[in-house]
């Protein structure tokens, strides 16, 4: 009997975890399997696998927490792999084409997909879907002309219940955002989770969280910025002048401090050596990331705002093309957030050892301060700036 390979995910750096698991999965032959071990429920991976690879595998918990999770992933034999339905659009009467595709899309369950086949690029349908149904699907070209176009449309797993997410809750009410934060619920990179899922992951009951959200909404709001009502160009400038500036002004100092503390205390606390190494890469990636936002995305968002206000305003970007760069930036947010979570794991939530020197204390203080700024920064982008920009871009695309 063949030995089933086991992958201990906790030993993999955060940014490489899912790519490594996908590599293992793609190497499987139909009917083969492997096992993953993790220190938290890897269910988000399940949704990502089904969204990216389709319903061609089984997912079996061999051990399900609370401290250790073991899952067997098996690629289905070819004869049992569910075929993705195909809709040949050219066979449909023109006036019924889009209504038929919408009917197929609405019938999908979360994580399911279908393929459309057409004799021209169906990109206008993409914009219509985005405007009418929101950013709840993926759009993947399987073949892109010139004579035949095939597109795989998959409904995102995260919208399975249609409930309001913690990200949208936080975006609308600063009081609720502060409450979620106090409960240990991440609404920046974890903003697409429902209240039910977020409460379960935080170890509190859904009823308790919903009750707390209701109660906090009755309290007078403290003076604060109502970011959700700001013009997007102004919000983009605020992010640059506040959060991007913070990163630029503090990154070098944080990196130097991590190296210094590792040099002095790394022998007795080897986790500090790893912390210093990963902190360097984390900061470099983050600095590269904000350059992309400042030099590419934010100027485009400002053009979108101007175009929305004045149809004669000129743009030098392709209207309707915003989804891809934003998806990339959101993915980078998720990777950075994984790094921050890994830092906490390495340091036992920044617990100082007995007799820690002032530099040691200062490093952990700055790491936590940096994390707080990052989460506030990403909340503004993931839950307010990006969704609104996508919506405006989709509306402009419908007019062109």
């Amino acid at each position: 009997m063949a030995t089933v390979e086991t992958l201990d995910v906790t030993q993999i750096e955060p940014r490489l975890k899912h790519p490594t698991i996908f590599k293992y999965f793609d190497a499987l032959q139909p009917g083969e399997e492997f096992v993953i071990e993790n220190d938290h429920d890897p269910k988000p991976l399940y949704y990502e696998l089904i969204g990216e690879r389709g319903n061609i595998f089984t997912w079996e918990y061999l051990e399900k927490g609370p401290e250790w999770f073991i899952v067997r992933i098996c690629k289905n034999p070819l004869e049992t792999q569910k075929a993705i339905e195909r809709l040949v659009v050219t066979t449909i009467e023109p006036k019924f084409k889009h209504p038929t595709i919408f009917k197929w899309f609405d019938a999908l369950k979360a994580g399911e997909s279908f393929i459309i086949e057409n004799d021209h690029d169906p990109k206008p349908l993409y914009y219509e879907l985005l405007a009418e149904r929101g950013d709840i699907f993926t759009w993947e070209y399987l073949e892109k002309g010139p004579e035949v176009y095939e597109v795989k449309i998959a409904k995102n797993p995260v919208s399975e219940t249609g409930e309001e997410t913690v990200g949208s809750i936080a975006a609308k009410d600063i009081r609720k955002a502060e409450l979620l934060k106090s409960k240990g619920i991440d609404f920046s990179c974890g903003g697409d989770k429902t209240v039910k899922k977020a409460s379960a992951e935080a170890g509190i009951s859904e009823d308790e969280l919903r009750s707390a959200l209701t109660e906090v909404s009755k309290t007078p709001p403290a003076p604060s910025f109502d970011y959700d009502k700001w013009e997007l160009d102004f919000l983009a400038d605020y992010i640059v002048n506040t959060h991007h500036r913070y990163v630029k002004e503090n990154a070098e100092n944080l990196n130097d401090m991590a190296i210094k503390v590792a040099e002095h205390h790394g022998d007795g606390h080897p986790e500090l050596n790893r912390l210093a190494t990963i902190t360097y890469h984390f900061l470099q990636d983050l600095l590269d990331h904000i350059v992309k936002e400042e030099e590419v995305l934010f100027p485009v968002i400002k053009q979108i705002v101007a175009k929305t206000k004045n149809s004669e305003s000129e743009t030098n970007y392709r209207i309707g093309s915003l989804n891809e760069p934003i998806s990339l930036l959101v993915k980078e947010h998720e990777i950075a957030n994984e790094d921050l979570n890994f830092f906490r794991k390495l340091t036992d939530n920044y617990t100082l050892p007995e007799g820690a020197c002032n530099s040691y204390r200062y490093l952990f203080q700055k790491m936590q301060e940096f994390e707080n700024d990052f989460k506030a920064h990403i909340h503004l982008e993931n839950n307010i700036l990006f969704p609104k920009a996508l919506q405006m871009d989709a509306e402009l695309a419908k007019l062109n």
Side-chain angles (χ1 to χ4, degrees):
M1 184 175 179
T3 302
V4 177
E5 194 163 2
T6 298
L7 180 63
D8 184 352
V9 182
T10 63
Q11 300 303 309
I12 306 172
E13 285 192 23
R15 71 188 64 223
L16 301 177
K17 287 183 179 182
H18 282 204
T20 300
I21 296 169
F22 268 77
K23 185 177 180 180
Y24 268 67
F25 180 81
D26 291 339
L28 294 177
Q29 296 298 315
E32 292 184 341
E33 62 189 37
F34 70 107
V35 171
I36 61 171
E37 298 180 346
N38 205 9
D39 56 4
H40 61 272
D41 193 344
K43 199 58 180 282
L45 169 70
Y46 167 82
Y47 294 124
E48 189 173 348
L49 261 177
I50 206 166
E52 295 291 331
R53 297 296 184 266
N55 188 24
I56 64 168
F57 65 94
T58 58
W59 177 277
E60 179 187 0
Y61 284 98
L62 304 180
E63 187 172 333
K64 196 171 184 180
E67 296 180 354
W68 199 244
F69 292 78
I70 303 176
V71 177
R72 177 162 53 208
I73 302 172
C74 178
K75 185 176 285 187
N76 295 341
L78 287 175
E79 61 271 17
T80 64
Q81 290 187 14
K82 182 180 177 181
I84 299 177
E85 290 191 85
R86 178 181 295 268
L87 178 62
V88 181
V89 182
T90 55
T91 64
I92 305 172
E93 192 176 337
K95 66 179 179 180
F96 294 126
K97 287 184 178 182
H98 281 205
T100 300
I101 296 169
F102 269 77
K103 184 177 180 180
W104 277 50
F105 179 80
D106 291 338
L108 291 178
K109 294 180 181 178
E112 291 184 342
S113 59
F114 68 102
I115 294 171
I116 60 171
E117 181 181 318
N118 205 10
D119 56 4
H120 61 273
D121 193 343
K123 201 58 182 281
L125 169 70
Y126 166 82
Y127 301 129
E128 189 174 346
L129 263 177
L130 187 63
E132 296 293 331
R133 296 295 184 268
D135 189 20
I136 63 167
F137 65 94
T138 58
W139 177 276
E140 178 188 359
Y141 283 98
L142 305 179
E143 189 168 341
K144 198 170 184 180
E147 296 180 356
V148 176
Y149 290 79
E150 292 185 358
V151 177
K152 179 182 176 183
I153 303 172
K155 186 175 286 187
N156 294 342
V158 294
S159 299
E160 187 169 4
T161 64
E163 293 181 35
E164 190 173 25
T165 64
V166 291
S168 62
I169 290 171
K172 294 174 183 175
D173 193 329
I174 187 65
R175 296 166 298 178
K176 293 181 179 180
E178 291 296 331
L179 174 71
L180 292 170
K181 184 178 178 181
S182 72
K183 299 289 186 183
I185 293 174
D186 179 12
F187 53 80
S188 53
C189 284
D192 57 3
K193 296 173 184 174
T194 63
V195 171
K196 181 177 182 179
K197 184 175 181 181
S199 59
E201 291 183 358
I204 58 179
S205 73
E206 180 183 359
D207 288 343
E208 177 187 345
L209 181 56
R210 289 191 181 279
S211 176
L213 288 168
T214 300
E215 286 302 312
V216 79
S217 65
K218 298 176 183 177
T219 62
S224 63
F225 295 135
D226 194 353
Y227 304 109
D228 197 39
K229 293 181 180 178
W230 286 6
E231 294 281 356
L232 293 196
D233 49 355
F234 184 78
L235 179 57
D237 284 340
Y238 173 82
I239 290 170
V240 170
N241 292 319
T242 303
H243 298 295
H244 286 192
R245 181 178 179 180
Y246 175 85
V247 172
K248 294 172 186 176
E249 291 181 350
N250 288 276
E252 184 176 357
N253 178 50
L254 185 64
N255 181 63
D256 290 347
M257 186 59 61
I259 293 171
K260 176 182 177 181
V261 173
E263 288 175 345
H264 285 81
H265 302 281
D267 290 341
H269 300 279
E271 70 277 3
L272 293 174
N273 298 315
R274 196 170 183 192
L275 179 67
T277 300
I278 302 175
T279 296
Y280 169 78
H281 292 292
F282 164 77
L283 293 171
Q284 291 303 308
D285 289 346
L286 189 55
L287 288 166
D288 290 343
H289 174 86
I290 63 179
V291 168
K292 295 175 193 173
E293 291 186 338
E294 292 181 12
E295 296 185 359
V296 180
L297 181 63
F298 288 4
V300 168
I301 289 176
K302 291 181 179 183
Q303 289 183 35
I304 290 173
V305 173
K307 187 74 171 178
T308 300
K309 293 178 179 178
N310 178 9
S311 61
E312 301 300 318
S313 179
E314 294 186 2
T315 62
N316 58 13
Y317 90 105
R318 184 165 54 86
I319 293 174
S321 63
L322 204 58
N323 190 63
E324 185 174 342
I326 283 183
S327 295
L328 174 64
L329 292 172
V330 169
K331 186 65 177 177
E332 291 180 358
H333 290 169
E334 293 170 355
I335 292 171
N337 196 56
E338 283 278 339
D339 284 341
L340 290 171
N341 291 337
F342 190 60
F343 295 158
R344 283 196 168 274
K345 181 180 176 182
L346 271 179
T347 61
D348 191 21
N349 283 319
Y350 298 113
T351 301
L352 289 164
E354 187 175 349
C357 69
N358 288 335
S359 294
Y360 209 137
R361 293 176 182 276
Y362 180 71
L363 171 64
F364 278 17
Q365 177 187 335
K366 293 300 289 185
M367 293 289 287
Q368 293 176 82
E369 178 186 291
F370 204 96
E371 177 184 315
N372 288 335
D373 180 82
F374 174 83
K375 289 185 179 294
H377 169 192
I378 300 313
H379 165 59
L380 293 179
E381 293 183 350
N382 282 8
N383 298 323
I384 301 177
L385 182 67
F386 291 174
K388 288 189 173 185
L390 283 170
Q391 183 66 30
M392 292 173 71
D393 186 43
E395 289 171 357
L396 286 176
K398 290 176 69 176
L399 299 174
N400 284 268

